[in-house]
Amino acid sequence: MKILVTAFDPFGGESINPSYEVLKNLKDNIEGAEIVKIQVPTVFYLSVEKAIEKIKEVNPDAVLSIGQAGGRYDISVERVAINIDDARIPDNIGQQPIDTPIDPEGAPAYFATIPIKEIVEEIKKENIPASISNTAGTYVCNHLMYGILNYIHKNKLNIKAGFIHIPYLPVQVLNKPSTPSMSLGDMVKAIETAIKVIVKSCKKSR
Ligand code: PCA
């Protein structure tokens, strides 16, 4: 069994992206599943192209994407991706789509196909704050989640997919008063816990 995990490069003036720091620290094998890691650029469309390229190459059982949600205090497991780009800031190549459908022929939205409630419960059992989020925003993270689910849906692939937003790392908030952060150790443990749940659910649906 293979699980593809994607993370983003830094954006919006940050010099690191916690999702990539977590990705680098994930075990290479979790519950018998091979963990394949890829960093994608914080760029509309190109991020999805890179992820799809990798999906074709490794044929994973599930794809878990992670991204930074600066300002959120907990691990947020996204329920839904919507068919819209509405960028508050330009992406890493200067694109700033406003009120633009991601795929004019695609569904208005797709729900995550990973077990989001069980993931939240298991992360909380590790004493790490986590919750379901009902919006992944309208920037590149939502775009990637939508793009992957849309690709899987259109090609009728048996691949589960979902997205988890994580807070800033403590080093990112040194000069951001009253802004939450979470340690790398806790975030790695939370994502590895999420992957365990995903591996179990993939085994069941085989
Ligand atoms: N977070 C951004 C895009 C890249 C990332 O890590 C977002 O939430 O859309």
Side-chain angles (χ1 to χ4, degrees):
M1 178 168 302
K2 286 183 199 158
I3 309 294
L4 176 62
V5 187
T6 81
F8 285 100
D9 63 357
F11 70 100
E14 297 292 327
S15 55
I16 56 171
N17 189 317
S19 66
Y20 185 57
E21 301 307 310
V22 167
L23 186 79
K24 284 188 287 186
N25 283 281
L26 292 177
K27 291 189 191 117
D28 294 311
N29 191 297
I30 297 177
E31 304 275 306
E34 184 192 335
I35 308 305
V36 182
K37 307 171 186 181
I38 179 186
Q39 189 199 54
V40 298
T42 301
V43 172
F44 289 101
Y45 293 99
L46 188 59
S47 51
V48 178
E49 279 168 34
K50 294 278 176 201
I52 290 175
E53 223 171 74
K54 201 70 182 172
I55 292 171
K56 285 182 181 160
E57 182 192 317
V58 306
N59 191 24
D61 296 86
V63 185
L64 176 65
S65 303
I66 22 179
Q68 163 188 305
R72 291 197 194 173
Y73 83 99
D74 68 352
I75 302 291
S76 38
V77 183
E78 299 296 345
R79 189 196 297 270
V80 61
I82 59 175
N83 189 4
I84 204 80
D85 287 335
D86 196 32
R88 182 179 53 82
I89 53 170
D91 70 10
N92 283 353
I93 60 165
Q95 304 178 103
Q96 191 169 9
I98 305 291
D99 296 337
T100 310
I102 297 169
D103 176 355
E105 263 116 62
Y110 290 105
F111 290 117
T113 48
I114 56 174
I116 55 170
K117 290 259 163 94
E118 201 186 335
I119 290 171
V120 168
E121 276 163 31
E122 292 301 314
I123 294 173
K124 286 169 94 172
K125 278 188 198 157
E126 301 287 342
N127 293 326
I128 299 168
S131 61
I132 303 284
S133 159
N134 292 312
T135 174
T138 53
Y139 192 51
V140 184
C141 288
N142 171 74
H143 181 98
L144 179 67
M145 183 182 174
Y146 184 90
I148 291 173
L149 285 163
N150 191 33
Y151 171 76
I152 290 170
H153 177 81
K154 285 193 165 171
N155 292 283
K156 300 188 171 57
L157 302 174
N158 185 21
I159 303 175
K160 292 182 194 294
F163 197 102
I164 296 184
H165 264 122
I166 61 176
Y168 283 131
L169 279 163
V171 67
Q172 295 178 276
V173 300
L174 295 178
N175 297 310
K176 295 184 184 82
S178 308
T179 307
S181 66
M182 190 182 280
S183 74
L184 182 61
D186 276 353
M187 295 209 275
V188 169
K189 200 195 263 183
I191 298 301
E192 287 182 346
T193 301
I195 294 171
K196 276 185 206 161
V197 175
I198 293 167
V199 170
K200 253 202 310 179
S201 79
C202 286
K203 281 181 185 161
K204 264 193 231 153
S205 60
R206 260 184 166 185

